[in-house]
Amino acid sequence: MRRRLGVNVDHVATLRQARRARYPDPLAAALIAERAGAAQITVHIRGDRRHIQDHDLTRLAASVQTLLNVEAACTDEMADILLSVRPHRVTLVAERPGEVTTEGGLDVAGQAAEVAAFASRLGAAGIHVALFIDPDAPQIDASCVAGVDMVELNTARWAETGNRGELVRLATATERARSKGLSVAAGHGLTLQNLRDLVLAAPGIEEYNIGHALIGDAVFLGLETSVRRYIDLLA
Ligand code: PXP
């Protein structure tokens, strides 16, 4: 299986927003990432707009040549934006106001009807929907019931602890999801140092969405080289 890299360009926008300037431009970064072999461009439009802005989504949707994956919370505001931009995929995430970064997966099991209704509204508009969840059986089972065909497993615990038990948890969740017919992506906190162990432990993960570390490495390596290093680790 050819594993895909989704490059999250949020933090190019973080740098731009630090000065409320016009650059660096996340779209320019997306085009370089695609040239370097990224299979997808991922962005998270947050309620507080701390990095990606509404106009970024419009420009990315018009120019990304691969696939555009937009992460967003299940709010009415986001539904309006997503239905107007119509990216190829939306990954539904949990968002707590004031959090530094996404703190955990979406509690699909705890709000099954709401998530299913939100996903089906997007699905009816031709948008592919995935759910970002913690790698636990109840969340996987609830995702199936919600009617989606893809989950993204939250790798933050593996990234934070380096505990091999977390690799087993991710591998077990991957197998469970696949046995139920779900495609499996993974992301959060992945780096050049911790990615390979996960690839080896959970070969059923088809796609990785990586942002903070990849953009950070690009400061020293250049973006094309940084993207290629991550792709090499997925081989
Ligand atoms: N996947 C999801 C669902 C996310 O919310 C994020 C962070 O926006 C990522 C992947 C990328 O995480 P990181 O920036 O830590 O690589």
Side-chain angles (χ1 to χ4, degrees):
M1 180 177 56
R2 210 178 121 75
R3 298 180 193 94
R4 305 183 298 272
L5 176 68
V7 172
N8 180 318
V9 295
D10 288 351
H11 296 303
V12 176
T14 301
L15 200 53
R16 178 191 65 193
Q17 294 309 112
R19 282 285 178 95
R20 303 281 186 276
R22 285 172 190 263
Y23 64 89
D25 180 1
L27 173 57
L31 300 181
I32 292 170
E34 288 187 317
R35 203 164 65 221
Q40 169 172 288
I41 302 301
T42 296
V43 289
H44 184 171
I45 178 130
R46 286 186 163 272
D48 64 10
R49 306 298 196 277
R50 71 177 70 155
H51 39 54
I52 293 296
Q53 307 295 306
D54 300 45
H55 63 80
D56 291 320
L57 290 189
T58 316
R59 293 171 66 238
L60 285 160
S63 299
V64 161
Q65 298 293 307
T66 54
L67 295 174
L68 179 62
N69 173 33
V70 178
E71 300 166 355
C74 301
T75 64
D76 290 340
E77 181 197 20
M78 289 303 151
D80 289 347
I81 293 170
L82 296 166
L83 290 169
S84 140
V85 172
R86 289 178 187 246
H88 302 99
R89 189 194 302 153
V90 168
T91 301
L92 297 177
V93 300
E95 207 175 288
R96 188 180 65 75
E99 67 186 0
V100 172
T101 184
T102 309
E103 289 174 347
L106 187 64
D107 181 14
V108 185
Q111 42 182 339
E114 293 92 324
V115 173
F118 201 93
S120 98
R121 228 176 126 194
L122 298 179
I127 301 170
H128 183 213
V129 180
L131 304 178
F132 180 66
I133 57 170
D134 289 331
D136 297 321
Q139 300 299 345
I140 293 164
D141 298 356
S143 298
C144 280
V145 175
V148 300
D149 65 3
M150 183 171 205
V151 290
E152 178 172 336
L153 300 178
N154 181 7
T155 55
R157 291 283 298 158
W158 158 240
E160 283 158 14
T161 64
N163 180 341
R164 298 199 76 82
E166 291 297 330
L167 285 183
V168 174
R169 187 176 161 206
L170 284 158
T172 306
T174 300
E175 285 319 303
R176 186 178 188 98
R178 285 173 62 89
S179 75
K180 290 175 175 286
L182 298 171
S183 304
V184 181
H188 214 280
L190 296 174
T191 67
L192 286 174
Q193 287 71 40
N194 64 24
L195 178 57
R196 189 70 193 154
D197 283 347
L198 177 58
V199 169
L200 294 175
I205 297 174
E206 296 164 33
E207 177 188 299
Y208 288 85
N209 287 298
I210 307 182
H212 183 254
L214 186 153
I215 299 300
D217 291 334
V219 172
F220 302 100
L221 301 171
L223 185 52
E224 275 199 57
T225 303
S226 180
V227 170
R228 290 207 177 100
R229 292 242 175 124
Y230 283 82
I231 289 173
D232 287 348
L233 290 180
L234 299 185

